[in-house]
């Protein structure tokens, strides 16, 4: 029994073809939307590529850009087929191409669904990428005189100001690295010498943070040096001064920003996928209804359209049988080639009579 079997007359076939033509052009605009989302996400990721450890995160925007281009091409082609299906003479030239085209549509829709899932599941990979990238970026914060790294201070400062964050996981991350360049340290000072000597790696570590970690909403002037020293500041307790510095780490801030963006895009792509699936089903019904016309010379006669010629169970079984037959055929061919090789290697015995 055929799946989604529907009876059509000439009027219904025309309405279906016209509706599909319109839906395909909506799908072209949806493809442009997917392409635009991919381009926007790629630009956003490139803006902060200096604090990302690898380029794996660009897989999603690159895939969206590719899917957007393919969607425009596929749906533009399908729109032409639907328009020509109004005229049986024009539709005849598309008949041999429809089955391969529908198979490509199935693969294309599977890819769209796969990319939508990746948009929702990308958070874990993005988390590790940001954690390592921010850690490396903070190490290079002081290298304002080093070619190739002189921009890192500005990048980190702008990032912390824009996203209202501090450090990788929190402001205390700055206590573990030397973020002040040696150029601005007085090595004749006893305090500087003692701090450097007290560190195994010879780094100048302080319980301070860059100015960009300061929260402008704080009612008092920002305390960015001797942050954990309560006695160094009047009426101050660093454990309760929540407004003094941003408490949230930049990894969490960026992760929430990009994850929210990708989740929204994933939801949009799922809607596009559902729309594409409905267009593909409609095109299949149109294809089968036109092919099953009993008398091609009488286009007004009734016909039947279906999505699958047999039920899902029967279709699955026939597909498995076809694959098994294909496997056996390959084995037989391999065996025949082996037998021919064995016969070729055998040499006939020659008896000489003297």
């Amino acid at each position: 029994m055929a799946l989604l079997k529907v009876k059509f007359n000439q009027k219904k076939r025309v309405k279906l073809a016209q509706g599909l033509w319109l839906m395909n052009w909506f799908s072209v605009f949806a493809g442009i939307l997917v392409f635009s989302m991919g381009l926007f996400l790629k630009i956003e990721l490139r803006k902060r590529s200096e604090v990302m450890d690898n380029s794996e995160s660009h897989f999603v925007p690159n895939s969206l850009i590719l899917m957007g281009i393919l969607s425009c091409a596929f749906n533009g082609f399908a729109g032409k087929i639907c328009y020509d299906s109004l005229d049986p003479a024009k539709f005849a030239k598309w008949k041999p191409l429809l089955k391969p085209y529908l198979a490509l549509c199935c693969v294309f829709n599977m890819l769209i669904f796969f990319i939508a899932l990746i948009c929702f599941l990308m958070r874990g990979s993005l988390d590790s990428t940001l954690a390592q990238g921010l850690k490396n970026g903070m190490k290079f914060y002081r290298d304002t005189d080093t070619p190739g790294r002189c921009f890192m201070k500005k990048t980190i400062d702008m990032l912390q100001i824009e996203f209202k964050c501090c450090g990788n996981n929190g402001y205390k991350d700055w206590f573990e690295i030397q973020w002040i360049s040696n150029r601005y340290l007085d090595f004749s000072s006893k305090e500087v010498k003692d701090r450097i000597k007290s560190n195994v790696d010879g780094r100048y570590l302080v319980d301070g943070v860059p100015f960009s970690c300061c929260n402008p909403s704080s009612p008092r002037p920002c305390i960015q040096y001797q942050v954990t020293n309560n006695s160094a500041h009047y009426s101050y307790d660093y454990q309760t001064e929540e407004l003094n510095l941003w408490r949230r780490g930049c990894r969490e801030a960026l992760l929430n920003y990009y994850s929210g963006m990708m989740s929204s895009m994933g939801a949009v792509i799922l809607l596009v996928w559902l729309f594409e699936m409905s267009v593909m089903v409609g095109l299949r019904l149109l294809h089968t209804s036109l092919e099953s016309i009993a008398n091609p010379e009488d286009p007004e006669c009734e016909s039947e359209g279906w999505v699958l010629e047999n039920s899902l169970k029967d279709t699955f079984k026939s597909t498995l049988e076809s694959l098994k037959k294909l496997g056996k055929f390959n084995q037989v061919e391999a065996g025949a080639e082996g037998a021919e090789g064995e016969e070729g290697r055998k040499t006939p015995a020659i008896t000489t009579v003297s």
Side-chain angles (χ1 to χ4, degrees):
M1 183 179 176
L3 181 68
L4 287 177
K5 197 172 186 179
V6 183
K7 284 189 176 182
F8 288 91
N9 54 29
Q10 174 68 4
K11 190 177 179 180
K12 283 185 177 180
R13 285 194 295 268
V14 168
K15 282 186 177 180
L16 178 61
Q18 290 174 339
L20 285 173
W21 179 83
L22 188 62
M23 289 175 71
N24 274 293
W25 283 109
F26 275 123
S27 295
V28 169
F29 290 117
I32 295 171
L33 175 64
V34 172
F35 176 85
S36 303
M37 288 193 303
L39 197 61
F40 174 74
L41 182 58
K42 193 171 184 69
I43 291 169
E44 285 295 305
L45 289 171
R46 280 194 178 277
K47 279 182 185 178
R48 298 167 188 96
S49 58
E50 296 89 356
V51 293
M52 292 187 176
D53 185 45
N54 54 49
S55 58
E56 287 180 8
S57 53
H58 287 274
F59 173 76
V60 172
N62 290 341
S63 300
L64 291 178
I65 290 170
L66 178 62
M67 288 299 106
I69 294 170
L70 289 177
S71 179
C72 292
F74 272 93
N75 289 293
F77 181 70
K80 173 64 176 171
I81 292 174
C82 293
Y83 182 79
D84 286 350
S85 65
L86 298 172
D87 184 354
K90 289 182 179 180
F91 177 73
K93 65 181 179 181
W94 299 114
K95 276 188 178 181
L97 298 174
L98 271 174
K99 281 188 177 179
Y101 173 75
L102 286 168
L104 285 174
C105 282
C106 286
V107 175
F108 174 69
N109 286 329
M110 286 171 64
L111 287 174
I112 289 181
F113 185 73
F114 175 69
I115 291 166
L117 287 181
I118 288 178
C119 286
F120 292 110
L121 301 174
M122 197 68 185
R123 186 181 177 91
S125 174
L126 197 60
D127 189 7
S128 58
T129 296
L130 286 169
Q132 191 59 42
L134 282 166
K135 186 178 179 181
N136 294 334
M138 288 170 65
K139 286 179 182 177
F140 302 142
Y141 183 88
R142 63 174 180 168
D143 297 337
T144 51
D145 299 325
T146 306
R149 296 179 186 171
C150 55
F151 61 87
M152 191 54 74
K153 178 185 180 298
K154 181 182 176 182
T155 300
I156 296 291
D157 282 334
M158 293 302 294
L159 177 69
Q160 293 187 146
I161 291 169
E162 181 182 353
F163 285 91
K164 300 179 180 180
C165 59
C166 184
N168 191 345
N169 299 306
Y171 69 92
K172 290 185 179 179
D173 291 336
W174 289 107
F175 302 172
E176 300 171 3
I177 62 170
Q178 180 181 338
W179 55 272
I180 301 173
S181 174
N182 289 337
R183 180 182 180 182
Y184 305 107
L185 294 176
D186 181 9
F187 287 95
S188 63
S189 168
K190 185 178 181 300
E191 181 190 351
V192 173
K193 286 179 180 179
D194 290 343
R195 282 192 178 275
I196 291 174
K197 284 179 181 178
S198 66
N199 185 265
V200 177
D201 299 325
R203 294 177 296 169
Y204 181 75
L205 303 182
V206 293
D207 57 341
V209 296
F211 79 96
S212 53
C213 283
C214 294
N215 183 352
S217 301
S218 175
R220 68 184 299 161
C222 181
I223 296 173
Q224 65 179 111
Y225 293 106
Q226 298 187 36
V227 174
T228 58
N229 187 358
N230 292 335
S231 60
H233 313 281
Y234 177 73
S235 184
Y236 174 74
D237 183 356
Y238 81 94
Q239 291 182 334
T240 59
E241 291 281 338
E242 293 184 2
L243 286 176
N244 182 48
L245 303 175
W246 300 119
R247 297 283 169 160
R248 185 173 64 161
C250 290
R251 178 185 60 82
E252 181 188 351
L254 282 172
L255 187 61
N256 290 340
Y257 174 71
Y258 284 120
S259 296
M261 190 186 297
M262 287 186 182
S263 296
S264 301
M265 289 182 178
V268 172
I269 294 163
L270 277 178
L271 291 175
V272 171
W273 173 75
L274 288 172
F275 195 74
E276 291 282 358
M277 287 294 292
S278 63
V279 170
M280 186 180 71
V281 169
L283 189 60
R284 174 63 175 166
L285 286 171
L286 180 64
H287 167 223
T288 51
S289 65
L290 288 169
E291 274 199 335
S292 62
I293 292 176
N295 185 11
E297 295 180 359
D298 181 17
E300 294 187 5
C301 68
E302 289 190 350
S303 62
E304 291 183 342
W306 56 84
V307 175
L308 293 176
E309 195 169 357
N310 301 309
S311 64
L312 279 173
K313 186 178 178 181
D314 293 337
T315 304
F316 183 69
K317 281 183 179 179
S318 62
T319 304
L320 281 180
E321 286 174 3
S322 300
L323 291 173
K324 286 178 182 178
K325 286 178 182 178
L326 183 62
K328 287 179 181 178
F329 180 71
N330 289 335
Q331 288 176 2
V332 169
E333 278 193 340
E337 287 176 2
E340 287 176 5
E342 287 291 333
E343 287 178 4
R345 283 194 293 272
K346 289 180 183 179
T347 55
I350 301 173
T351 306
T352 55
V353 181
S354 56

